[in-house]
Amino acid sequence: MQAGTFGSDYDTILSAWTGAPGSFTELGCSDETLDGEQLAFAVSAGTTYYFMVSSYANEGGTLVFRLSLLPSGPANDNFSGAIAIATLPFSTTAGTA
């Protein structure tokens, strides 16, 4: 999932959370740019996600909040399908689309 505040007319701070009130777990926080923030993280079906948008120095203004699902990556992105290289030099062909 990707969440962002690009296009807002004030300096935002964006954070994402999961869990229950009183015991939230932070998934990420962004306060790096003046023209909007962006977070990306993996999501699971059936899980509730909470987003908090605040401002730097209590300025406020017009908020633009966008949320989108990102396509999942290749099956071996978490190394479970990694190819072991026994000897060098090594050569293989793989699609990267």
Side-chain angles (χ1 to χ4, degrees):
M1 173 174 290
Q2 183 171 301
T5 61
F6 288 104
S8 299
D9 66 1
Y10 65 99
D11 186 7
T12 60
I13 302 168
L14 173 64
S15 57
W17 306 78
T18 190
S23 62
F24 285 121
T25 300
E26 184 178 311
L27 299 172
C29 181
S30 179
D31 182 25
E32 301 299 321
T33 66
L34 294 175
D35 61 346
E37 306 304 328
Q38 184 170 303
L39 292 175
F41 52 91
V43 294
S44 299
T47 301
T48 301
Y49 298 91
Y50 301 89
F51 297 91
M52 181 173 70
V53 179
S54 56
S55 66
Y56 182 79
N58 298 319
E59 22 182 271
T62 301
L63 172 66
V64 176
F65 181 73
R66 291 186 174 91
L67 195 59
S68 60
L69 288 175
L70 298 173
S72 58
N76 71 342
D77 266 7
N78 64 2
F79 300 107
S80 66
I83 300 169
I85 300 174
T87 59
L88 296 175
F90 175 80
S91 177
T92 189
T93 302
T96 58

